[in-house]
Amino acid sequence: MKKRIILGVTGASGCIYATRLAMHLKNKGHEVHLIPTQTAKLVIDYEKQSKLYDWCDKVFQIDDFFEEAASGSSSYDGMAIVPCSMGTLAKVSTGVADNLLVRSADVCLKENRPLVIVPREMPYNLIHLENMVKLFHARACIVSASPAFYRNPTTIEELVDTVIAKVLSHLKIEHDLSPDWKGHHA
Ligand SMILES: Cc1cc2nc3c(=O)[nH]c(=O)nc-3n(C[C@H](O)[C@H](O)[C@H](O)COP(=O)(O)O)c2cc1C
C-alpha cells in the first residue's frame, strides 16, 4: 500500500542519508514530502546532495504552518528526521514547534504515528543524550547513524543503506535492504 511520509532534513552532516531514504521510498511507490530547514538547504548544497529534491513529491517551506504536515488532521503514515541536528533534536524534545519540521514531528508524536530520528553529532554531550532519552520516552525511535560494516559494503551508498534499512523498518515500510541475518559461525 502506498504510504505518505514526511522527510525532515536539518543542517547536520550526512544529507546522503536523506537522499537514499527518499530514493528507496520513491522506488517502492511511496510519497515523500520534504521539509528542509534553512541550514539543511546549505548543507545539501555543500555535500552535493541536491538530487535529494528530485526524489521528493513536495518540498515544504520551513515557516509555512499552513501546509498539511502541520495538522493532525492530515493523513501521513509517519515521519523521519534524517539527519537530525542537535538543535532540532532539542526543539522536538521540548516541544518548541516554531518551524514546520518540528511542528510535524510534534504532530506525529501526538497522533501516535511513527517518528524516526537519525541524530548526527560526535561526540554527544549530556544535553544531547538527555534529549534523546526524552524522545525515546515520548515514543520516537532513535536510529543512530551507525552503519553496519559486518555486511561488507563496497560503496558509500551500500554503507548508508545499512542505516536506511533500519529507518524503513521503523517506519513500517517493507524493503529488501537488509536480508535476515541467519547467523555465522567461522
Ligand atoms: C557543514 C556543516 C555540518 C554540520 N554538521 C552538524 C552535525 O553533524 N550535527 C549538528 O548537530 N550540527 C551540525 N551543524 C550545525 C547545524 O547546522 C546548526 O546547529 C544549525 O543551527 C542547525 O539548525 P537546524 O536544526 O534548523 O537545521 C553543521 C553545520 C554545517 C555548516
Side-chain angles (χ1 to χ4, degrees), residues 10-13 37 39-40 43 46 85-88 120-121:
T10 73
S13 183
T37 64
T39 321
V43 179
Y46 192 74
S85 71
M86 296 305 100
T88 290
R120 218 309 306 182
E121 188 47 276

Side-chain angles (χ1 to χ4, degrees), residues 7-15 17-18 21 79-93 101 115-136 140-147 160 163-164 166-167 170:
L7 173 54
V9 180
T10 73
S13 183
C15 305
Y17 287 110
L21 176 58
M79 174 173 182
I81 309 177
V82 185
C84 185
S85 71
M86 296 305 100
T88 290
L89 185 88
K91 281 187 182 180
V92 179
S93 75
L101 190 161
L115 174 64
V116 180
I117 297 176
V118 179
R120 218 309 306 182
E121 188 47 276
M122 190 168 67
Y124 294 125
N125 66 31
L126 180 63
I127 294 166
H128 303 153
L129 293 168
E130 285 183 346
N131 286 336
M132 283 184 231
V133 170
K134 209 166 166 191
L135 282 164
F136 176 82
C141 178
I142 307 291
V143 174
S144 58
S146 306
V160 165
V163 172
I164 298 312
K166 285 285 179 192
V167 174
H170 286 276

Side-chain angles (χ1 to χ4, degrees), residues 68 70-76 107 110-111 113:
E68 52 185 321
S71 171
S73 307
S74 59
S75 58
Y76 284 102
V107 166
K110 84 183 176 74
E111 300 293 338
R113 295 173 187 155

Side-chain angles (χ1 to χ4, degrees), residues 15-174:
C15 305
I16 189 173
Y17 287 110
T19 305
R20 295 295 292 179
L21 176 58
M23 185 196 84
H24 287 299
L25 285 168
K26 283 307 293 173
N27 284 344
K28 288 283 179 188
H30 303 295
E31 200 172 320
V32 183
H33 293 186
L34 177 70
I35 309 175
T37 64
Q38 297 293 354
T39 321
K41 290 181 181 176
L42 301 176
V43 179
I44 289 166
D45 187 43
Y46 192 74
E47 295 187 345
K48 300 182 173 47
Q49 290 297 317
S50 53
K51 58 184 175 290
L52 163 63
Y53 299 108
D54 300 338
W55 294 110
C56 299
D57 297 279
K58 292 184 183 174
V59 182
F60 295 146
Q61 297 302 314
I62 192 71
D63 56 357
D64 189 353
F65 292 98
F66 284 85
E67 287 291 5
E68 52 185 321
S71 171
S73 307
S74 59
S75 58
Y76 284 102
D77 297 290
M79 174 173 182
I81 309 177
V82 185
C84 185
S85 71
M86 296 305 100
T88 290
L89 185 88
K91 281 187 182 180
V92 179
S93 75
T94 49
V96 180
D98 65 351
N99 68 40
L100 182 63
L101 190 161
V102 181
R103 168 64 186 166
S104 304
D106 206 62
V107 166
C108 274
L109 292 177
K110 84 183 176 74
E111 300 293 338
N112 270 314
R113 295 173 187 155
L115 174 64
V116 180
I117 297 176
V118 179
R120 218 309 306 182
E121 188 47 276
M122 190 168 67
Y124 294 125
N125 66 31
L126 180 63
I127 294 166
H128 303 153
L129 293 168
E130 285 183 346
N131 286 336
M132 283 184 231
V133 170
K134 209 166 166 191
L135 282 164
F136 176 82
H137 284 301
R139 219 192 25 79
C141 178
I142 307 291
V143 174
S144 58
S146 306
F149 288 84
Y150 63 88
R151 292 197 183 272
N152 295 310
T154 55
T155 65
I156 288 182
E157 286 75 15
E158 280 179 23
L159 192 64
V160 165
D161 283 354
T162 64
V163 172
I164 298 312
K166 285 285 179 192
V167 174
L168 289 168
S169 295
H170 286 276
L171 284 173
K172 303 191 186 336
I173 288 180
E174 284 181 24

